[in-house]
Amino acid sequence: MSKYYYYLVAGLPELTLEDSKLSYTVADFKTELYPDLSDEDKKLIDLFYLKFDNANVLKLLKDKDAAIDPRGIYSAEELTEFISLLKDGDEVADAMFPSYLSTFISEYFNTPAEDEFLHEDRLAALYYDYAMKCRNKFVSSWFEFNLTMNNILVALIARKFKMDIAPLIVGDTEVCEALRTSGARDFGLTGEVDFLDQLVKISETEELVEREKKIDQLRWNWMEEATFFNYFTIERLFVFLLQLEMIERWISLDKEKGNQLFRSIIATLKNEVQIPAEFR
């Protein structure tokens, strides 16, 4: 049964993608609003925060003393112990840590790869699969939308630079398979992906900051449309978190840094290595 959060949602500030400052943060939500959610809804919100844990796990696997992002669900001590247990071959209950993280860490030690992109892509694939299986229709659709969008952008950019597309695609959906195998100009996705034309236009944007802004605007529009009739529900709180993180990222990114990043990515592509995580 759905729970309504009239007081919490009514008290949230209005957000726009153009906001240049925030009085509230993703970290604030976790400490102030998260405790008031039902246990079932906390599990949904956890799917948002787990992306920070994913990045933290990758860091700690390379350096157990690495500084981690505090926005994750788990502390450095908890993740370090978790990693140590799995490294020793012990089993960890899914109630303690998400099953996909256990799968990834076990695979990491059993089949180590020299290329960090292989680890990053494998973890992303497991995470998306895990999140898309949640019972909440909006949250599941949000992750599927992002997986589809990211993969299509990667495929379009890879094709532009005459790179092999198949190894760069993350996940195991019908769209993923089409991107890996189709030689058609539209990958056979016209009519299947209703935002395909928008992605083609976005991929043609040369300036990285402008391209990223267009991608985020597409995300923003999608989530607003998908939750148009969700007024005081967990879906609205989930969207608030997504938008909050988006604005936080833009506030921290200035145009010069963006242009420098763009030049470094192009240089990397010209050296014919895999597409960096910034495009994923």
Side-chain angles (χ1 to χ4, degrees):
M1 181 176 179
S2 297
K3 181 176 179 180
Y4 289 87
Y5 299 97
Y6 298 105
Y7 176 75
L8 293 184
V9 174
L12 298 177
E14 290 290 330
L15 300 176
T16 71
L17 191 52
E18 303 305 320
D19 287 345
S20 58
K21 60 181 180 179
L22 289 170
S23 59
Y24 205 83
T25 68
V26 166
D28 291 334
F29 185 103
K30 189 168 69 170
T31 57
E32 296 177 16
L33 300 186
Y34 181 88
D36 293 328
L37 304 179
S38 70
D39 289 342
E40 182 179 356
D41 289 342
K42 283 179 180 177
K43 292 178 181 178
L44 289 175
I45 296 299
D46 285 348
L47 292 173
F48 167 84
Y49 283 105
L50 278 169
K51 70 175 129 187
F52 304 116
D53 291 295
N54 293 343
N56 290 339
V57 164
L58 289 170
K59 286 181 181 179
L60 292 171
L61 283 169
K62 290 187 285 187
D63 177 7
K64 63 182 179 61
D65 297 317
I68 69 167
D69 190 327
R71 292 176 295 179
I73 298 171
Y74 304 103
S75 67
E77 292 75 18
E78 288 173 322
L79 289 177
T80 300
E81 182 179 1
F82 178 40
I83 291 170
S84 179
L85 287 170
L86 292 171
K87 184 177 182 180
D88 292 339
D90 296 330
E91 292 187 5
V92 179
D94 292 347
M96 294 177 61
F97 291 93
S99 57
Y100 79 92
L101 272 178
S102 296
T103 298
F104 171 73
I105 295 171
S106 296
E107 288 182 359
Y108 179 91
F109 289 116
N110 292 327
T111 55
E114 295 181 1
D115 194 333
E116 65 182 72
F117 285 114
L118 297 180
H119 294 314
E120 193 171 304
D121 286 353
R122 176 57 177 160
L123 179 54
L126 290 169
Y127 170 57
Y128 275 112
D129 183 64
Y130 178 81
M132 287 189 296
K133 288 178 179 175
C134 83
R135 295 180 181 179
N136 182 282
K137 183 178 179 181
F138 166 74
V139 174
S140 176
S141 296
W142 164 254
F143 281 98
E144 183 176 2
F145 164 76
N146 273 275
L147 179 65
T148 298
M149 181 188 67
N150 293 342
N151 276 327
I152 290 175
L153 285 171
V154 165
L156 290 168
I157 293 168
R159 185 164 63 185
K160 178 179 179 180
F161 288 94
K162 297 180 173 25
M163 299 168 65
D164 186 9
I165 295 173
L168 305 176
I169 302 303
V170 170
D172 188 27
T173 65
E174 291 183 5
V175 171
C176 294
E177 186 62 21
L179 292 171
R180 289 189 180 102
T181 60
S182 177
R185 182 176 179 81
D186 66 348
F187 302 103
L189 295 176
T190 297
E192 297 294 324
V193 178
D194 57 10
F195 48 91
L196 180 62
D197 289 343
Q198 290 174 269
L199 292 178
V200 171
K201 291 178 181 178
I202 289 173
S203 72
E204 294 169 351
T205 304
E206 294 294 335
E207 205 274 310
L208 179 64
V209 174
E210 183 182 354
R211 181 191 299 171
E212 286 294 310
K213 182 72 80 170
K214 289 180 178 179
I215 292 171
D216 276 355
Q217 189 64 63
L218 178 60
R219 288 190 176 107
W220 192 287
N221 293 344
W222 185 93
M223 68 177 81
E224 286 289 343
E225 182 178 343
T227 57
F228 185 79
F229 294 106
N230 296 100
Y231 301 113
F232 299 100
T233 64
I234 188 61
E235 290 85 358
R236 176 48 57 184
L237 291 173
F238 198 95
V239 165
F240 177 75
L241 264 178
L242 294 170
Q243 293 177 337
L244 197 59
E245 186 211 5
M246 207 176 289
I247 296 168
E248 284 182 359
R249 185 166 63 89
W250 279 107
I251 290 175
S252 67
L253 177 67
D254 63 50
K255 189 168 183 178
E256 180 54 32
K257 287 181 180 178
N259 287 332
Q260 290 175 0
L261 181 59
F262 175 71
R263 289 192 289 270
S264 69
I265 289 173
I266 294 303
T268 300
L269 287 171
K270 287 182 178 178
N271 287 330
E272 296 184 350
V273 300
Q274 290 187 336
I275 291 179
E278 285 80 2
F279 282 122
R280 298 191 183 282

